[in-house]
Amino acid sequence: MSLMSLNHSYLIKNAHTILTGLAGNAARCSFSDIRIQAGKITELGQLTAQPNEQMIDAQDCVIYPAWVNTHHHLFQSLLKGEPQGMNQNLTSWLASTPYRFRGAFDENTFRVAVRIGLIELLRSGCATVADHHYLYWPKMPFDGAAILFDEAEKLGMRFVLCRGGATLTRGLESELPQALRSEKFEDYIMDIERLVQQYHQSGSDAFRKIVMAPTSTLHSTTAPQLRESAKIARQFGIRMHSHLSETVDYLDAAKAKFGMTPVQFCAEQDWIGSDVWFAHLVKLLPEEIQLLGQSQTGIAHCPQSNARLGSGIADLVALEQAGMTISIGVDGAGSNEAADMLSETHAAWLLQRARKGMLATPQYQGGQFEGGADAASIEDVIRWGTAGGAKILGLDQVGTIEVGQQADLVVYQLDDPRYFGLHDLAIGPVASAGRAHIKAMFVAGKMVMENDQIPDLDMMELAWQAKQAVKLLQQRSMDMAKIA
């Protein structure tokens, strides 16, 4: 790494616009300069350089808070565009892609997948990743948590492990392949305790956190186990996360199994509240929205995966108005071939408008159709993808550009033709999409990218590793199919 990584004081000057991650009129900063000292933002204004301070000229650049990704499946970084799952809905896709390949991963292929996913996210301006890691089965041959934290630390990223898994026994377990067998609930809880003791940091500026995260509240565990996991999570002081209501199948399953809606079932097991967030929440009834809002439960909105699998579009505007905290998640690359935060926020911006437009009653007033073009602003999307995600993860010192906050920010240099001609340069990274050139990126005041480069990264070597890993996974999945 260059000398600047050793310099803990920076002055970023002459930014075209600074978007703060805050709401309303505070969404855009009136100043152009930022001072970073000892990992924090210490001044905003028209500033003069101090001795021993490194200056970064941000002329014609826009600055955002670094993105906070609240739902991912990093192991799927080697499952992009997998043919058998390309044109499937959620249930069929799960069987065709992630479940079919899960037993094919070993320590090396898993590490390559994690590295690819984290690098892809970092190169979009993402500093914090919450990975819903559910690649667990009895007698696991490798420690996925150790690999995840190790790879994130190498890149200087904040990492939240949402420890997934299934503890619901499904019939004749002994006849299932080892990788599809359920863990015992007591083993799952023991591992949560181990992970909390080894990795969890409770502070609002933490680099490592652990979350209780059974893969599905309806299908991966029993009601008593779910209730007990909530109790234990709160005893440990950790948050809770899972998938919920991604499709109408969740509504049907909850009614058939429990005689209530999915959200009502979660509420009965103490699985709602400000320390809980769910991925997706596409198919919700009005009473469920009210319950989630009143309890201040959060959402990880995953627009591209939801669209790719044909699941639908979550109504973020209604959810936020009800009182929920909104965040953005990428989901797994197996159902999202562009697994980065710029693509995701671009999709979030467009699809909220499309959703409102589809649901609007065709009325004409003064010759104008009442559509959905005002459903969500760029500033809303940035707030959801930064401050919203930080709030959900309990990282209150992250996600906004304000004096006293952690210096997690990204300086985008919009020098690609896709950004030329913009009347408002500030909206470029989200509105125009693409992968904006990162002039500089900081996490806790440490520069983790400079001139669009990650230090010590051999991209050609990573590409070769990915190709070899894909070939190996394909061969192993075919071998396992023959045995089955």
Side-chain angles (χ1 to χ4, degrees):
M1 190 178 283
S2 64
L3 179 62
M4 69 188 62
S5 65
L6 304 176
N7 187 336
H8 297 291
S9 182
Y10 298 92
L11 178 62
I12 306 174
K13 281 195 66 67
N14 307 319
H16 180 278
T17 311
I18 298 171
L19 294 183
T20 64
L22 298 169
N25 293 333
R28 297 195 180 209
C29 181
S30 58
F31 300 114
S32 61
D33 303 345
I34 302 174
R35 174 163 282 123
I36 299 171
Q37 293 175 318
K40 294 186 176 183
I41 298 168
T42 57
E43 287 185 83
L44 294 166
Q46 310 301 323
L47 306 176
T48 303
Q50 297 177 352
N52 301 317
E53 184 172 62
Q54 174 139 1
M55 192 178 82
I56 297 168
D57 187 0
Q59 185 172 0
D60 298 326
C61 297
V62 298
I63 302 177
Y64 287 10
W67 299 108
V68 179
N69 170 18
T70 56
H71 184 74
H72 209 111
H73 303 298
L74 285 166
F75 83 93
Q76 293 181 21
S77 300
L78 289 172
L79 300 179
K80 297 176 182 178
E82 195 282 310
Q84 291 192 31
M86 274 302 293
N87 299 307
Q88 305 279 4
N89 62 19
L90 173 64
T91 302
S92 301
W93 169 82
L94 284 170
S96 298
T97 302
Y99 289 163
R100 184 163 64 91
F101 279 94
R102 59 182 283 140
F105 280 87
D106 60 13
E107 183 172 353
N108 183 63
T109 50
F110 180 72
R111 186 178 287 275
V112 171
V114 170
R115 186 175 299 149
I116 290 168
L118 289 174
I119 287 171
E120 184 175 8
L121 287 164
L122 186 64
R123 281 164 51 86
S124 70
C126 179
T128 302
V129 180
D131 190 59
H132 194 184
H133 176 52
Y134 59 79
L135 211 62
Y136 286 98
W137 57 86
K139 300 180 181 178
M140 277 288 293
F142 61 91
D143 185 351
I147 293 170
L148 287 159
F149 280 114
D150 181 52
E151 291 297 324
E153 183 179 18
K154 289 175 181 176
L155 294 167
M157 302 175 77
R158 301 181 195 271
F159 189 80
V160 178
L161 173 62
C162 302
R163 206 298 195 178
T167 57
L168 177 63
T169 302
R170 294 166 291 177
L172 298 175
E173 288 271 314
S174 60
E175 296 183 6
L176 291 172
Q178 186 73 14
L180 293 180
R181 296 180 189 178
S182 301
E183 296 179 276
K184 293 181 179 179
F185 181 68
E186 55 266 31
D187 293 337
Y188 175 77
I189 295 300
M190 283 177 61
D191 196 49
I192 289 281
E193 185 173 9
R194 174 186 73 88
L195 292 168
V196 170
Q197 291 176 351
Q198 187 169 349
Y199 295 108
H200 185 69
Q201 299 168 345
S202 59
S204 59
D205 60 348
F207 264 79
R208 292 178 168 184
K209 283 185 176 290
I210 301 297
V211 171
M212 182 80 74
T215 307
S216 168
T217 54
L218 296 187
H219 305 299
S220 300
T221 185
T222 67
Q225 289 174 354
L226 193 62
R227 191 179 305 111
E228 182 67 12
S229 70
K231 178 182 177 182
I232 292 170
R234 289 176 174 127
Q235 288 173 346
F236 286 164
I238 62 175
R239 292 175 181 246
M240 300 182 290
H241 177 58
S242 191
H243 298 96
L244 194 68
S245 299
E246 191 169 354
T247 65
V248 292
D249 290 344
Y250 279 80
L251 285 163
D252 295 338
K255 183 178 180 180
K257 293 171 69 174
F258 309 113
M260 59 186 78
T261 70
V263 173
Q264 287 172 330
F265 171 72
C266 290
E268 289 286 325
Q269 319 315 321
D270 299 326
W271 257 81
I272 60 172
S274 60
D275 57 351
V276 181
W277 83 102
F278 293 109
H280 304 300
L281 297 179
V282 175
K283 305 297 185 182
L284 293 173
L285 299 174
E287 59 267 31
E288 292 185 288
I289 294 175
Q290 183 180 18
L291 186 55
L292 291 168
Q294 288 174 346
S295 61
Q296 298 184 339
T297 304
I299 176 178
H301 175 51
C302 307
Q304 291 188 123
S305 178
N306 291 339
R308 154 84 144 77
L309 296 174
S311 300
I313 308 168
D315 188 352
L316 299 190
V317 176
L319 297 182
E320 186 165 53
Q321 288 175 348
M324 293 189 69
T325 301
I326 311 297
S327 71
I328 306 293
V330 167
D331 209 0
S335 63
N336 182 356
E337 285 64 32
D340 69 87
M341 285 296 281
L342 287 180
S343 296
E344 208 64 45
T345 50
H346 177 70
W349 177 58
L350 294 180
L351 289 175
Q352 283 305 295
R353 293 164 174 235
R355 187 187 192 286
K356 184 178 178 183
M358 288 187 296
L359 296 178
T361 302
Q363 297 177 9
Y364 286 85
Q365 292 186 355
Q368 297 296 316
F369 174 67
E370 288 187 343
D374 61 346
S377 68
I378 296 292
E379 288 83 356
D380 288 332
V381 173
I382 293 170
R383 174 171 52 83
W384 294 336
T386 57
K391 181 180 178 181
I392 275 175
L393 298 179
L395 295 170
D396 295 341
Q397 292 186 43
V398 173
T400 60
I401 296 179
E402 301 175 89
V403 171
Q405 289 286 82
Q406 291 278 297
D408 288 21
L409 55 88
V410 56
V411 182
Y412 290 115
Q413 182 175 313
L414 305 184
D415 55 1
D416 187 270
R418 75 183 305 123
Y419 309 111
F420 296 173
L422 278 166
H423 288 228
D424 181 5
L425 199 65
I427 69 172
V430 173
S432 300
R435 198 191 76 77
H437 178 108
I438 293 178
K439 182 161 188 175
M441 180 175 171
F442 295 87
V443 183
K446 178 182 178 181
M447 187 178 286
V448 296
M449 286 191 68
E450 174 193 6
N451 294 326
D452 215 36
Q453 299 297 311
I454 299 172
D456 305 320
L457 173 61
D458 186 336
M459 197 69 78
M460 295 299 292
E461 172 65 18
L462 184 64
W464 182 86
Q465 291 175 359
K467 289 178 183 177
Q468 299 305 308
V470 167
K471 290 179 182 178
L472 187 58
L473 290 174
Q474 290 172 334
Q475 185 60 54
R476 286 177 179 166
S477 69
M478 288 188 291
D479 292 343
M480 288 186 294
K482 292 176 183 177
I483 294 172

PDB file of all heavy atoms in Angstrom, residues 289 293 315-324 326:
ATOM      1  N   ILE A 289     -47.972  -4.820   7.230  1.00  0.00           N
ATOM      2  CA  ILE A 289     -47.204  -3.575   7.123  1.00  0.00           C
ATOM      3  C   ILE A 289     -47.377  -2.743   8.386  1.00  0.00           C
ATOM      4  O   ILE A 289     -46.407  -2.190   8.926  1.00  0.00           O
ATOM      5  CB  ILE A 289     -47.641  -2.783   5.874  1.00  0.00           C
ATOM      6  CG1 ILE A 289     -47.271  -3.544   4.601  1.00  0.00           C
ATOM      7  CG2 ILE A 289     -47.014  -1.387   5.869  1.00  0.00           C
ATOM      8  CD1 ILE A 289     -47.767  -2.907   3.321  1.00  0.00           C
ATOM      9  N   GLY A 293     -44.363  -1.776  10.882  1.00  0.00           N
ATOM     10  CA  GLY A 293     -44.081  -0.368  11.107  1.00  0.00           C
ATOM     11  C   GLY A 293     -44.165   0.025  12.569  1.00  0.00           C
ATOM     12  O   GLY A 293     -43.302   0.737  13.090  1.00  0.00           O
ATOM     13  N   ASP A 315     -42.851  -2.427  -1.601  1.00  0.00           N
ATOM     14  CA  ASP A 315     -43.366  -1.051  -1.577  1.00  0.00           C
ATOM     15  C   ASP A 315     -42.646  -0.268  -0.479  1.00  0.00           C
ATOM     16  O   ASP A 315     -43.152  -0.103   0.631  1.00  0.00           O
ATOM     17  CB  ASP A 315     -44.868  -1.069  -1.338  1.00  0.00           C
ATOM     18  CG  ASP A 315     -45.507   0.302  -1.504  1.00  0.00           C
ATOM     19  OD1 ASP A 315     -44.757   1.298  -1.664  1.00  0.00           O
ATOM     20  OD2 ASP A 315     -46.747   0.390  -1.460  1.00  0.00           O
ATOM     21  N   LEU A 316     -41.464   0.248  -0.798  1.00  0.00           N
ATOM     22  CA  LEU A 316     -40.653   0.928   0.212  1.00  0.00           C
ATOM     23  C   LEU A 316     -41.311   2.184   0.739  1.00  0.00           C
ATOM     24  O   LEU A 316     -41.164   2.524   1.917  1.00  0.00           O
ATOM     25  CB  LEU A 316     -39.279   1.276  -0.369  1.00  0.00           C
ATOM     26  CG  LEU A 316     -38.401   0.115  -0.835  1.00  0.00           C
ATOM     27  CD1 LEU A 316     -36.999   0.622  -1.143  1.00  0.00           C
ATOM     28  CD2 LEU A 316     -38.338  -0.992   0.209  1.00  0.00           C
ATOM     29  N   VAL A 317     -42.010   2.882  -0.115  1.00  0.00           N
ATOM     30  CA  VAL A 317     -42.650   4.125   0.314  1.00  0.00           C
ATOM     31  C   VAL A 317     -43.680   3.837   1.400  1.00  0.00           C
ATOM     32  O   VAL A 317     -43.707   4.485   2.452  1.00  0.00           O
ATOM     33  CB  VAL A 317     -43.297   4.842  -0.883  1.00  0.00           C
ATOM     34  CG1 VAL A 317     -44.051   6.086  -0.413  1.00  0.00           C
ATOM     35  CG2 VAL A 317     -42.231   5.223  -1.919  1.00  0.00           C
ATOM     36  N   ALA A 318     -44.520   2.837   1.183  1.00  0.00           N
ATOM     37  CA  ALA A 318     -45.534   2.485   2.181  1.00  0.00           C
ATOM     38  C   ALA A 318     -44.891   1.949   3.454  1.00  0.00           C
ATOM     39  O   ALA A 318     -45.344   2.260   4.568  1.00  0.00           O
ATOM     40  CB  ALA A 318     -46.495   1.444   1.599  1.00  0.00           C
ATOM     41  N   LEU A 319     -43.822   1.167   3.299  1.00  0.00           N
ATOM     42  CA  LEU A 319     -43.155   0.601   4.470  1.00  0.00           C
ATOM     43  C   LEU A 319     -42.511   1.695   5.318  1.00  0.00           C
ATOM     44  O   LEU A 319     -42.589   1.669   6.551  1.00  0.00           O
ATOM     45  CB  LEU A 319     -42.107  -0.424   4.039  1.00  0.00           C
ATOM     46  CG  LEU A 319     -42.628  -1.665   3.294  1.00  0.00           C
ATOM     47  CD1 LEU A 319     -41.481  -2.613   2.969  1.00  0.00           C
ATOM     48  CD2 LEU A 319     -43.704  -2.375   4.088  1.00  0.00           C
ATOM     49  N   GLU A 320     -41.889   2.664   4.670  1.00  0.00           N
ATOM     50  CA  GLU A 320     -41.264   3.748   5.418  1.00  0.00           C
ATOM     51  C   GLU A 320     -42.315   4.626   6.086  1.00  0.00           C
ATOM     52  O   GLU A 320     -42.156   5.044   7.233  1.00  0.00           O
ATOM     53  CB  GLU A 320     -40.358   4.578   4.514  1.00  0.00           C
ATOM     54  CG  GLU A 320     -39.564   5.627   5.273  1.00  0.00           C
ATOM     55  CD  GLU A 320     -38.420   6.200   4.458  1.00  0.00           C
ATOM     56  OE1 GLU A 320     -38.673   6.652   3.320  1.00  0.00           O
ATOM     57  OE2 GLU A 320     -37.276   6.207   4.963  1.00  0.00           O
ATOM     58  N   GLN A 321     -43.384   4.892   5.389  1.00  0.00           N
ATOM     59  CA  GLN A 321     -44.456   5.702   5.972  1.00  0.00           C
ATOM     60  C   GLN A 321     -45.077   5.015   7.181  1.00  0.00           C
ATOM     61  O   GLN A 321     -45.519   5.671   8.123  1.00  0.00           O
ATOM     62  CB  GLN A 321     -45.523   5.991   4.909  1.00  0.00           C
ATOM     63  CG  GLN A 321     -45.070   6.982   3.841  1.00  0.00           C
ATOM     64  CD  GLN A 321     -46.095   7.162   2.736  1.00  0.00           C
ATOM     65  OE1 GLN A 321     -47.061   6.396   2.627  1.00  0.00           O
ATOM     66  NE2 GLN A 321     -45.900   8.180   1.907  1.00  0.00           N
ATOM     67  N   ALA A 322     -45.063   3.679   7.184  1.00  0.00           N
ATOM     68  CA  ALA A 322     -45.617   2.928   8.306  1.00  0.00           C
ATOM     69  C   ALA A 322     -44.701   2.948   9.523  1.00  0.00           C
ATOM     70  O   ALA A 322     -45.150   2.645  10.634  1.00  0.00           O
ATOM     71  CB  ALA A 322     -45.884   1.489   7.881  1.00  0.00           C
ATOM     72  N   GLY A 323     -43.414   3.273   9.311  1.00  0.00           N
ATOM     73  CA  GLY A 323     -42.483   3.352  10.431  1.00  0.00           C
ATOM     74  C   GLY A 323     -41.299   2.420  10.353  1.00  0.00           C
ATOM     75  O   GLY A 323     -40.473   2.365  11.268  1.00  0.00           O
ATOM     76  N   MET A 324     -41.185   1.669   9.248  1.00  0.00           N
ATOM     77  CA  MET A 324     -40.066   0.755   9.098  1.00  0.00           C
ATOM     78  C   MET A 324     -38.778   1.498   8.712  1.00  0.00           C
ATOM     79  O   MET A 324     -38.821   2.583   8.111  1.00  0.00           O
ATOM     80  CB  MET A 324     -40.362  -0.299   8.024  1.00  0.00           C
ATOM     81  CG  MET A 324     -41.475  -1.261   8.393  1.00  0.00           C
ATOM     82  SD  MET A 324     -41.604  -2.624   7.197  1.00  0.00           S
ATOM     83  CE  MET A 324     -40.077  -3.522   7.527  1.00  0.00           C
ATOM     84  N   ILE A 326     -35.633   1.463   6.264  1.00  0.00           N
ATOM     85  CA  ILE A 326     -35.372   0.907   4.930  1.00  0.00           C
ATOM     86  C   ILE A 326     -33.870   0.829   4.687  1.00  0.00           C
ATOM     87  O   ILE A 326     -33.130   1.780   4.966  1.00  0.00           O
ATOM     88  CB  ILE A 326     -36.007   1.775   3.823  1.00  0.00           C
ATOM     89  CG1 ILE A 326     -37.468   2.098   4.156  1.00  0.00           C
ATOM     90  CG2 ILE A 326     -35.866   1.093   2.469  1.00  0.00           C
ATOM     91  CD1 ILE A 326     -38.381   0.916   4.249  1.00  0.00           C
TER      92      ILE A 326
END
